[in-house]
Amino acid sequence: MKKLFGVGTGPGDKEYLTLKAVKAMENADVIFAPNNNGKNMALDTAKDFIEEKKIVLIDFPMGKVKKKDYKKAAELIKKEISDGKSGVFLTIGDPMIYSTFIYLMENIEELGVEVEVVPGITSFLAGAAKIKIPITVKGDRFLLVDDIVDEDVLAETDSICILKTTKNKEDVINLLEKNRFSYTYIKRCSLEGEKVLKNKEEILEDKDYISFILGRRKEND
Ligand SMILES: C[S@@+](CC[C@H](N)C(=O)[O-])C[C@H]1O[C@@H](n2cnc3c(N)ncnc32)[C@H](O)[C@@H]1O
């Protein structure tokens, strides 16, 4: 039997790696991560715990990744793990939040490889801790999105996080202001170059993909 661990490496600072994540990496034969021009952020976080292990960076095509691409990646992963051994697929934050691993997982299981998921601290939880503003308090409805914010849904929301801010940041901020939300932009949370911005112009100027916006409905005056 072969086994693949989907491991969340947290927001970036290696001190946010869990003991389970470190153990899975130490016991693995081979470490996988998506190839971002020869680099990978999760790999940077985990590098001290990987030592001399074999690392396989997996190419996914630019733009929309198709079912056949995940199937191909799953076949490669299966081939690289020896019988009776395990591999680790690294993902930033948590593997169950907007990650490549989610699509890969189904294909891996279809090939008869056992899968175990090791959760990680998400970027937005690390961000809430950083700015000391809660994600939810009793009775709150929290919305997590990585794209368009629907105004009707926003009307029913008390607290929001928008990931992948480079897509439509200005529209999102205008909508938050119109609906009386206070907001904070956090980039490279827990990493070198971390920034917390509240000024609209400064937020709009920044183009870093590794960023998110946390918003909360303002209390009634
Ligand atoms: C493909 S999603 C991955 C989400 C990840 N699985 C998680 O649990 O946070 C990529 C987005 O995660 C967010 N992100 C991940 N790490 C971050 C960090 N250290 N600082 C700010 N944003 C981060 C950004 O919004 C980025 O566009």
Side-chain angles (χ1 to χ4, degrees), residues 10-12 41 91-100 120-124 162-166 186-191 209-212:
M41 196 174 129
T91 192
I92 57 172
D94 182 89
M96 296 289 107
I97 302 274
Y98 300 121
S99 99
T100 307
I121 297 172
T122 68
S123 49
F124 57 92
I162 304 111
L163 299 177
K164 304 184 189 172
T165 62
T166 42
I186 305 177
K187 80 170 212 175
R188 308 216 149 248
C189 187
S190 85
L191 290 160
Y209 170 75
I210 302 299
S211 62
F212 56 86

Side-chain angles (χ1 to χ4, degrees), residues 17-165:
L17 280 165
T18 65
L19 293 176
K20 251 194 195 311
V22 171
K23 198 170 150 198
M25 290 189 280
E26 284 174 351
N27 291 338
D29 244 15
V30 46
I31 309 290
F32 305 95
N35 189 1
N36 304 320
N37 300 320
K39 293 192 309 191
N40 180 279
M41 196 174 129
L43 203 55
D44 291 342
T45 301
K47 66 177 186 304
D48 291 356
F49 305 93
I50 291 172
E51 294 161 359
E52 302 297 296
K53 286 190 203 298
K54 181 171 184 186
I55 296 170
V56 179
L57 290 180
I58 301 185
D59 290 307
F60 291 99
M62 294 290 279
K64 198 165 162 37
V65 185
K66 299 201 179 83
K67 172 101 183 145
K68 72 167 174 39
D69 303 313
Y70 290 114
K71 228 174 141 212
K72 208 170 125 201
E75 275 156 11
L76 171 73
I77 289 171
K78 182 179 178 180
K79 203 173 101 211
E80 289 286 348
I81 305 172
S82 309
D83 276 331
K85 302 281 183 185
S86 66
V88 159
F89 187 95
L90 298 175
T91 192
I92 57 172
D94 182 89
M96 296 289 107
I97 302 274
Y98 300 121
S99 99
T100 307
F101 182 75
I102 297 168
Y103 306 99
L104 209 53
M105 184 171 64
E106 297 167 18
N107 290 284
I108 294 276
E109 282 182 325
E110 276 170 21
L111 294 178
V113 176
E114 191 188 342
V115 169
E116 184 172 329
V117 181
V118 178
I121 297 172
T122 68
S123 49
F124 57 92
L125 289 179
K130 176 84 205 171
I131 61 176
K132 291 184 259 178
I133 295 177
I135 297 282
T136 50
V137 293
K138 196 170 187 299
D140 270 359
R141 286 154 299 186
F142 172 61
L143 178 64
L144 176 65
V145 288
D146 72 338
D147 207 337
I148 309 287
V149 180
D150 184 311
E151 196 164 4
D152 293 340
V153 179
L154 195 62
E156 303 295 323
T157 298
D158 305 293
S159 168
I160 184 168
C161 174
I162 304 111
L163 299 177
K164 304 184 189 172
T165 62

Side-chain angles (χ1 to χ4, degrees), residues 191-208:
L191 290 160
E192 211 185 305
E194 176 186 83
K195 253 190 194 153
V196 176
L197 302 175
K198 286 183 180 283
N199 176 279
K200 184 174 178 179
E201 276 64 47
E202 284 177 7
I203 296 173
L204 291 181
E205 258 170 45
D206 198 88
K207 307 285 179 227
D208 202 324

